[in-house]
């Protein structure tokens, strides 16, 4: 029987090269990561946010001034409609856009009630209120483009009680019913009209200059 011969094989280096490749590749990736981190340092953390200060509401005076400016602009855009009221409580004229319309529309009536004597017609019928009368004579469906100015001939303190109260009620009813803004003007609060100036006499004619004397020639 022949003895078995042991053949000695050289060691396999394939697995060793694989391990060496993996180690070198990992080292390169690590070096690249370190280099990238050094070139791009992380941004510093943002400071903690502070709570914002509460917004201060606008001052009352500023709001009031803004409101007055806005109302003044809206009123200035409306055409003036003047309602002339006589001392007897009759609308005798409307003045609007340079025109004057003559009317004869009473606002008062005698009442059979001895405690009232005189009553305001607008309290009995909506068709007999100031702004409705004005709209009818202007041929307008409403008065939204007008500033209605109630101009009585007498100071408010001298008006009949029924007329005084009725005109004040018509201020609110003008807005709700005819969409017009109305104001009741007290003539006692108006400045007096300027006094008429006397006509100036023409200047006296100037005398003609004396004639020039003739020149003597030698």
């Amino acid at each position: 029987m022949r003895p078995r011969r042991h053949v000695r094989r050289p060691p396999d280096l394939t697995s060793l090269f694989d391990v060496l490749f993996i180690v070198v590749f990992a080292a390169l990736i690590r070096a690249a990561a370190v280099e990238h981190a050094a070139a791009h340092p992380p941004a510093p953390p943002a400071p903690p946010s502070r709570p914002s200060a509460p917004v201060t509401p606008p001052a009352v005076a500023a709001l009031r001034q803004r409101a007055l400016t806005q109302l003044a602009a809206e009123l200035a855009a409306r055409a003036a409609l003047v309602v002339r009221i006589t001392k007897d409580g009759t609308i005798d004229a409307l003045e609007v856009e340079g025109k004057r319309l003559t009317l004869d529309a009473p606002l008062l009536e005698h009442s059979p009630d001895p405690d009232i004597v005189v009553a305001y017609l607008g309290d009995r019928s909506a068709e007999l209120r100031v702004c409705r009368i004005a709209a009818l004579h202007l041929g307008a469906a409403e008065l939204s483009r007008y500033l209605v100015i109630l101009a009585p001939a007498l100071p408010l303190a001298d008006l009949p009680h029924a007329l005084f109260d009725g005109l004040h009620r018509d201020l609110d009813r003008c807005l709700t019913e005819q969409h017009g803004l109305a104001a009741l003007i007290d003539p006692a609060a108006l400045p007096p009209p300027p006094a008429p100036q006397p006509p100036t006499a023409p200047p006296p004619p100037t005398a003609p200059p004396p004639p020039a004397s003739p020149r003597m020639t030698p």
Side-chain angles (χ1 to χ4, degrees), residues 26 45 70 84 105 112 115 148 154 163 165 173 181 183-184 190 202 208-209 218:
Q70 184 174 342
R84 300 287 183 181
D115 296 331
V148 184
L154 292 178
L163 183 60
D165 291 343
R173 293 185 291 213
L181 292 177
L184 178 59
L190 296 176

Side-chain angles (χ1 to χ4, degrees), residues 9 29 65 94-95 123 151 153 172 213:
R9 297 178 180 179
I29 293 178
Q65 184 59 42
L94 299 177
E95 297 178 15
D123 294 336
D172 297 331
S213 58

Side-chain angles (χ1 to χ4, degrees), residues 126-153:
E127 298 296 316
L128 302 176
R129 294 167 184 168
V130 172
C131 286
R132 180 58 180 164
I133 294 173
L136 288 174
H137 283 80
L138 292 178
E142 60 178 27
L143 301 178
S144 58
R145 59 180 292 262
Y146 294 102
L147 173 61
V148 184
I149 303 172
L150 309 186

